[in-house]
Amino acid sequence: MFQTLRNAWKIPDLRKKIIFTLLMIAVFRLGTFIPVPGLNRAALQSLVGDGNNLFGMLNAFSGGAFSNATIFAMGITPYINSSIIIQLLTVAIPALERMMQEGEDGRKKMASWTRYLTVILAFVQATGLYFGLTNAVASRGFASYILITLTFTAGTAFLMWLGEQITERGVGNGISIIIFAGIVSSLPTDIYVMAMNIIANPSDMAMIGKVAAVVIVSIISVLFIIFMDNAERRISVQYAKRMVGRKMYGGQSTHIPIKVSMAGVIPIIFAMSILSFPQTLGAMLGKNWTWINPTSWWYIGIYFLLIIFFTYFYTAIQFNPIEIANNMKKNGGFVPGIRPGKPTSDFISKTMTRITLAGAFFLGIIAVLPMITGKYTNIPMSLGGSSLLIIVGVALETVRQIESQMLMRHYKGFLE
């Protein structure tokens, strides 16, 4: 990875893109320190707690802007929710699915609708935060409502624009880069805290052992994520030869790649959102239910099962074996040993179910492993399963894009 970045820096075009991306990240980090007037920072920090709740995830994605009560407090979360909603509607509504298949014009329309929905969701979320955070607002009134909600909404809209600029003129996916920068920004503080604990108690072998356990679990999790991110099941496909005029077409062999972690981090976000509802309800009613405590085994078990459920749910929406089988049949393709049509669809569906099971358990283990480690070591891990998945996934995808741009430039120079 470092060799790829070093080689990319030597190319003027890529160097400009990398510098532009770093400047946009600097603008994002600057915004996480600009406070919103009328908000109590201590009240928001108490909501974040140890980070194992919805507010903790929001704070991690925003780079600590939520706990600091700044203009980027809501981060890019409304855009993520908007993208998920549009994606689900595309599957449910045939007209939207046809629009997506229209090419560049269709994608531009869907992107515009995603932006509009992002602003609407951001305003609704800002309104919910204003009325839900009773202790965070210094003085209530129409003026403070307009100031706080519009500032939060404008902050999210600006981050969305910033991400689009990175995607267009920088390196990698802009939205992912912003989330990546927000999560990574907490690493120096975490490392400093652990180092100070060891320095303050150099003879406390138990503390040193706990810190070592946290580091080992983090390294193993990263290696596991890298391995599973590249893991895929390839279904062989053979295309029959056919005559078109005087030319022979077909006859080649290819494959259908099925990624083990096709759902990505979406099931973890869904599961965390579902569990945040009873947490919020309990806080409003003043109840201290044991099973909604992130350190309890009940919470960890329910969290694990919800991740498995949402992995199957989201994969079923994303992957359509019937459509793949029909397209193969139209183009004269078949899986060796499997008849075209419904038998091919059943074979792909059966294979997908087995692969999804492995991916679901992978996501569940990655999500709950930091929680279990923090439970036994009493050292809260700010980098949860979703954060680790995002960090590793964005880093790998950005390096792949840099490599592809370097390869395209090489071939372009060769042809010229």
Side-chain angles (χ1 to χ4, degrees), residues 221-289:
S221 298
V222 170
L223 294 176
F224 190 32
I225 292 172
I226 294 174
F227 174 76
M228 295 299 289
D229 185 77
N230 296 318
E232 62 182 19
R233 166 73 159 87
R234 297 182 177 181
I235 299 177
S236 300
V237 178
Q238 181 72 34
Y239 285 92
K241 295 181 179 180
R242 63 184 188 277
M243 290 291 298
V244 179
R246 295 183 178 182
K247 293 184 178 181
M248 179 74 72
Y249 292 91
Q252 73 272 21
S253 298
T254 183
H255 63 270
I256 302 174
I258 302 178
K259 291 184 67 67
V260 175
S261 58
M262 182 181 296
V265 74
I266 299 300
I268 295 179
I269 296 176
F270 280 179
M272 191 173 293
S273 300
I274 292 295
L275 287 177
S276 68
F277 176 75
Q279 288 178 339
T280 306
L281 184 62
M284 293 174 59
L285 298 177
K287 301 291 185 180
N288 187 18
W289 294 320

Side-chain angles (χ1 to χ4, degrees), residues 17 49 59 94 103 143 147 157 214 218 244 253 316 324 359 376:
K17 291 185 176 182
N59 188 60
L147 174 63
V214 170
S218 300
V244 179
S253 298
I324 294 176
Y376 281 105

Side-chain angles (χ1 to χ4, degrees), residues 155-303:
T156 296
F158 181 78
L159 284 181
M160 178 177 62
W161 176 84
L162 206 67
E164 292 178 350
Q165 294 302 308
I166 294 175
T167 302
E168 182 179 352
R169 302 171 58 185
V171 176
N173 182 281
I175 303 300
S176 301
I177 292 292
I178 289 176
I179 298 175
F180 174 87
I183 296 173
V184 170
S185 64
S186 65
L187 281 179
T189 303
D190 296 337
I191 295 174
Y192 175 79
V193 171
M194 287 193 295
M196 288 298 101
N197 289 333
I198 296 177
I199 294 174
N201 303 289
S203 60
D204 190 354
M205 299 305 297
M207 173 60 69
I208 296 176
K210 291 177 180 180
V211 172
V214 170
V215 174
I216 292 173
V217 168
S218 300
I219 294 175
I220 292 175
S221 298
V222 170
L223 294 176
F224 190 32
I225 292 172
I226 294 174
F227 174 76
M228 295 299 289
D229 185 77
N230 296 318
E232 62 182 19
R233 166 73 159 87
R234 297 182 177 181
I235 299 177
S236 300
V237 178
Q238 181 72 34
Y239 285 92
K241 295 181 179 180
R242 63 184 188 277
M243 290 291 298
V244 179
R246 295 183 178 182
K247 293 184 178 181
M248 179 74 72
Y249 292 91
Q252 73 272 21
S253 298
T254 183
H255 63 270
I256 302 174
I258 302 178
K259 291 184 67 67
V260 175
S261 58
M262 182 181 296
V265 74
I266 299 300
I268 295 179
I269 296 176
F270 280 179
M272 191 173 293
S273 300
I274 292 295
L275 287 177
S276 68
F277 176 75
Q279 288 178 339
T280 306
L281 184 62
M284 293 174 59
L285 298 177
K287 301 291 185 180
N288 187 18
W289 294 320
T290 305
W291 66 276
I292 62 173
N293 188 345
T295 60
S296 68
W297 286 110
W298 279 104
Y299 182 95
I300 294 174
I302 295 173
Y303 187 39

Side-chain angles (χ1 to χ4, degrees), residues 5-218:
L5 294 176
R6 191 180 300 112
N7 294 335
W9 187 260
K10 298 177 182 178
I11 302 174
D13 295 341
L14 286 179
R15 184 166 61 245
K16 291 180 180 178
K17 291 185 176 182
I18 294 174
I19 293 175
F20 179 82
T21 303
L22 294 176
L23 290 175
M24 293 299 100
I25 292 175
V27 172
F28 161 63
R29 291 303 301 157
L30 178 64
T32 58
F33 294 100
I34 301 176
V36 177
L39 283 182
N40 185 355
R41 178 180 175 182
L44 293 180
Q45 289 177 343
S46 64
L47 289 173
V48 174
D50 59 359
N52 290 322
N53 52 35
L54 183 62
F55 294 114
M57 183 184 69
L58 182 63
N59 188 60
F61 284 7
S62 64
F66 182 82
S67 61
N68 292 329
T70 62
I71 58 175
F72 292 159
M74 294 197 307
I76 204 69
T77 307
Y79 180 84
I80 298 174
N81 296 332
S82 174
S83 301
I84 294 173
I85 291 173
I86 293 295
Q87 199 170 18
L88 294 177
L89 290 177
T90 302
V91 178
I93 302 176
L96 295 180
E97 186 177 2
R98 289 193 296 269
M99 184 181 297
M100 282 293 292
Q101 296 174 353
E102 290 178 358
E104 188 65 25
D105 292 338
R107 285 191 291 270
K108 286 183 178 179
K109 291 181 182 178
M110 299 299 292
S112 298
W113 291 359
T114 303
R115 296 190 195 102
Y116 297 143
L117 184 58
T118 298
V119 175
I120 295 173
L121 290 180
F123 183 76
V124 172
Q125 184 175 335
T127 302
L129 288 176
Y130 178 83
F131 289 105
L133 306 176
T134 56
N135 298 326
V137 182
S139 60
R140 292 187 174 274
F142 181 75
S144 66
Y145 166 74
I146 293 297
L147 174 63
I148 293 174
T149 54
L150 290 186
T151 301
F152 280 163
T153 304
T156 296
F158 181 78
L159 284 181
M160 178 177 62
W161 176 84
L162 206 67
E164 292 178 350
Q165 294 302 308
I166 294 175
T167 302
E168 182 179 352
R169 302 171 58 185
V171 176
N173 182 281
I175 303 300
S176 301
I177 292 292
I178 289 176
I179 298 175
F180 174 87
I183 296 173
V184 170
S185 64
S186 65
L187 281 179
T189 303
D190 296 337
I191 295 174
Y192 175 79
V193 171
M194 287 193 295
M196 288 298 101
N197 289 333
I198 296 177
I199 294 174
N201 303 289
S203 60
D204 190 354
M205 299 305 297
M207 173 60 69
I208 296 176
K210 291 177 180 180
V211 172
V214 170
V215 174
I216 292 173
V217 168
S218 300

Side-chain angles (χ1 to χ4, degrees), residues 309-342:
F309 169 76
F310 282 118
T311 302
Y312 273 96
F313 173 76
Y314 191 74
T315 303
I317 293 176
Q318 291 288 102
F319 196 85
N320 190 348
I322 297 177
E323 182 179 355
I324 294 176
N326 291 336
N327 290 335
M328 289 171 52
K329 187 176 181 180
K330 290 178 183 178
N331 294 296
F334 61 93
V335 178
I338 307 295
R339 289 187 300 170
K342 190 176 183 305

